[in-house]
Each structure stands twice: as structure tokens, then as C-alpha cells.
Amino acid sequence: MALSIMYQNNNRLERAETIEDLPKDASFIWFDFEGANAEESELFKKHFDINGLTIEDVIHSNSRPKYKNYNDYEYLVYQKIEPDTYEAETINVLLKNNVFITYHAEDIEATDEIDALAKELEEEAPENLTPKVAAMMLLDKIVDFYTETVESIEDKVLKFERRHAKDKHQHQIMDDIFDLRSKLIRIKGIIAPMSELVDEIERNEYLIETEHDHHYVHHIQDHMIKQKNIINNAQELTDEIRSNYESYNNYRMNRVMQILTLVSTVFLPMTLIAGIYGMNFDYMPELKWKFGYFGVLIIMALMLVVSMIYFKKKKWY
């Protein structure tokens, strides 16, 4: 659990230990609540004068990406991708006057996006840094990290295809394909609503105020379009791998069934003859024939040869 407090000093972002340490003339203040405990959550409730329903959403829910504009503050919900499980992790963002608030669970293993933004602002913050600008910068960081995850899963799909291109006998292949498809679906389930949020932001006159803002959001949109195309292509490739593997297995199964059918067809007449002469009747005419045994064997052999020639002409094998 941690609460980080940062504020803009000239063109740099500096850290404060407590709220009391903040300079009164700070033009930009950032509160980052990571896995806030009860005391920190209470501070969050009292200090910022946020609507109770919004507070419940921030602290207790794992909301879908969204944007809400209230009278004196704005509320955004971002979702990042957990790199190991490909599950969605929520980052809540609140913009109020000159205050930028991020609130996220402690069990988010990699707060890389938050850390990357903090590092960039600590090195050199924009002169016109506002909570809205910081919110767009954080969104850009999240989308950039999407690219790493998306390209990673695409690389796994391509390597899988090359590795198993001639490996047709392992039943594990289908399990691996479904595992890859499950990850792709989870990633797509995060990127799609985030893309909708970016489109909503692009149309929003409260967040997008200047031509630079429009260009910045278009830059983010371009990244998300590329990511969605990569995911769609990866899904199509896994579909083709699965289809090829199933087609090959069906072909092999048909070949096996064809051979078994031929064997059954060839031996069926011979089985009939053997069955007839295996019956225990006293007055069967051929039972006393001196050359009966050899004659029946010859007839069976002829039936076998004739059947094989007939099937060959019919191109059954």
C-alpha cells in the first residue's frame, strides 16, 4: 500500500511526503493511490470532495473503460493488460481543478505505465501540464505497453506455426492452439473497450481543447488500430492452423477407415466360406471330398486376388 504525492516545480515533477508539504502555489498536483489502505481511502474521500457513488466505483469495482464528466471533476477508467495472465487491470483516473488522481489496486504486479509517466514528468514536465494533459499521457503509456503485449502474443503465434508446421501427430497441438486463442480473446476484450474510450475522448470537447490534443489522440488511435489489426490477423492465423490440423487429422482418419473397409470387404467372402464349412452338420456334401481343404484355400486365394484387382481398377487404394 502506498500513496505518492507529486507536484510541478518549474518544468520538473517533484515528490512530497505529505499533503502539508505541498506548496500552495503548485500548478499541478498528482496523487497516486496504490492499494490504498483504510486511512488513505478515507483521505481520498474527505480531501477531494468526490461524489460517493464515484468513490465506490473507484475503490470497490473493476469497471469497464469509460469517461464521465461531472460538474466539478472528470472520471476516467483505463484498463491495462497484465503481461503474464493477459487479464485486465483497472487504473482509475480523476481530474479536479489542478489535481490529477490515479487509484489502482496493489496487486497490479507491474505499474510500468504509472512509473514510466512519473519518470518522464520528473525528467522534464511540459510547461502547460494540466490533469487533462497528464491523463492523455498516461493513456498513451498504457497503449504503448499494449503494443509490447500484442507483438509478444503475435510472435508466439508465428513461432507456434513454424514449430508445428510439420508436426501433425501431437494431440497437444490443439490444446496449445486453444490456449493461444484464449489469450488473444482476453487481449481483444481489453483493447476493444479501450478503443471505444479513445474514440469517445476524441469526440469530447472537454478533454480535447486544442489542435495538439486532436493530433495526440489521433496518434493513440493509430496505435490501437494497428494493435487490433495484429490481434485479428493472429486470430485468423490460429483459425487456419486449427483448420489445417483438423483437415489433416480427418484425412488420416478417412485413410484409416478406407483401409479397414477394404480389409473387411476382402475377407468377408472368405469368412463366409469358413463359416459355412465350420458348421457341424452330418450331411454336408463336400465333407468327404479328398481335395476339399486345398480347393477351398485356392478359391479363397482367387477371391482375394480378384477383389484386389477390382479395387485397384476402381482406384480405391
Side-chain angles (χ1 to χ4, degrees):
M1 62 192 71
L3 168 60
S4 298
I5 305 173
M6 291 161 276
Y7 64 94
Q8 186 175 21
N9 183 16
N10 296 323
N11 287 344
R12 296 172 64 88
L13 207 67
E14 297 187 3
R15 296 181 181 269
E17 293 297 325
T18 64
I19 295 179
E20 289 73 20
D21 295 334
L22 288 170
K24 294 181 179 180
D25 60 345
S27 60
F28 172 83
I29 303 171
W30 178 6
F31 293 90
D32 178 41
F33 293 86
E34 179 184 353
N37 58 25
E39 180 181 349
E40 291 164 349
S41 295
E42 191 63 28
L43 169 66
F44 173 74
K45 293 177 183 179
K46 289 182 177 181
H47 188 75
F48 302 108
D49 190 26
I50 302 296
N51 180 281
L53 294 176
T54 303
I55 291 173
E56 289 297 315
D57 281 347
V58 171
I59 296 178
H60 300 296
S61 71
N62 189 19
S63 301
R64 179 184 173 89
K66 63 182 178 182
Y67 168 76
K68 292 289 185 182
N69 183 16
Y70 298 95
N71 291 330
D72 56 346
Y73 65 92
E74 293 166 275
Y75 176 40
L76 290 138
V77 177
Y78 297 153
Q79 282 187 337
K80 57 165 287 181
I81 301 174
E82 205 288 316
D84 296 324
T85 63
Y86 301 97
E87 297 289 348
E89 294 179 335
T90 300
I91 299 177
N92 298 277
V93 177
L94 289 156
L95 317 175
K96 184 178 174 71
N97 299 326
N98 66 330
V99 177
F100 176 57
I101 305 166
T102 52
Y103 194 107
H104 50 92
E106 184 182 19
D107 57 1
I108 293 182
E109 291 186 6
T111 54
D112 293 336
E113 295 86 346
I114 300 285
D115 292 342
L117 177 60
K119 183 177 180 181
E120 180 177 338
L121 294 178
E122 284 176 327
E123 290 177 353
E124 185 176 1
E127 292 183 8
N128 61 338
L129 181 60
T130 65
K132 292 180 180 180
V133 171
M136 293 302 101
M137 293 178 71
L138 176 58
L139 178 60
D140 188 33
K141 298 296 182 188
I142 291 173
V143 172
D144 285 343
F145 277 86
Y146 283 173
T147 301
E148 294 182 13
T149 305
V150 167
E151 290 179 349
S152 171
I153 193 70
E154 180 193 34
D155 188 53
K156 289 181 181 180
V157 172
L158 295 175
K159 285 182 179 179
F160 179 88
E161 192 277 333
R162 290 192 292 267
R163 187 169 63 249
H164 295 292
K166 297 181 180 179
D167 189 4
K168 307 296 184 182
H169 303 287
Q170 291 186 4
H171 297 292
Q172 185 65 30
I173 291 177
M174 291 301 288
D175 293 336
D176 292 341
I177 289 175
F178 282 113
D179 181 59
L180 280 173
R181 286 183 60 79
S182 175
K183 292 175 180 176
L184 287 168
I185 291 170
R186 272 177 275 173
I187 293 173
K188 194 172 184 179
I190 298 171
I191 290 179
M194 281 292 286
S195 179
E196 294 173 6
L197 173 62
V198 174
D199 293 340
E200 183 180 353
I201 290 173
E202 197 272 336
R203 298 189 298 267
N204 192 288
E205 61 183 12
Y206 294 100
L207 284 174
I208 307 301
E209 299 174 339
T210 66
E211 192 65 24
H212 176 269
D213 295 338
H214 278 288
H215 287 306
Y216 198 30
V217 174
H218 288 159
H219 162 76
I220 296 173
Q221 284 178 318
D222 289 341
H223 280 200
M224 300 210 75
I225 290 171
K226 178 182 177 182
Q227 292 160 5
K228 287 191 289 186
N229 289 337
I230 291 174
I231 291 297
N232 289 335
N233 291 336
Q235 282 188 310
E236 291 176 6
L237 183 56
T238 56
D239 279 339
E240 291 176 5
I241 295 171
R242 182 183 63 179
S243 178
N244 288 340
Y245 182 72
E246 289 177 345
S247 298
Y248 180 79
N249 273 342
N250 289 335
Y251 168 76
R252 288 179 62 241
M253 184 62 68
N254 289 337
R255 289 291 298 166
V256 170
M257 293 302 297
Q258 184 181 32
I259 292 170
L260 291 176
T261 302
L262 285 174
V263 171
S264 300
T265 304
V266 166
F267 283 94
L268 186 61
M270 292 184 281
T271 303
L272 176 63
I273 294 174
I276 291 173
Y277 283 99
M279 293 187 293
N280 297 318
F281 293 109
D282 289 336
Y283 299 104
M284 291 182 64
E286 292 88 2
L287 288 180
K288 303 297 183 181
W289 185 30
K290 181 177 179 180
F291 301 105
Y293 173 74
F294 298 103
V296 170
L297 290 180
I298 291 171
I299 291 171
M300 289 181 175
L302 287 173
M303 293 176 69
L304 174 63
V305 172
V306 170
S307 298
M308 297 301 293
I309 292 172
Y310 175 77
F311 295 148
K312 185 69 175 178
K313 287 184 176 180
K314 289 289 185 179
K315 297 182 180 180
W316 288 6
Y317 68 93

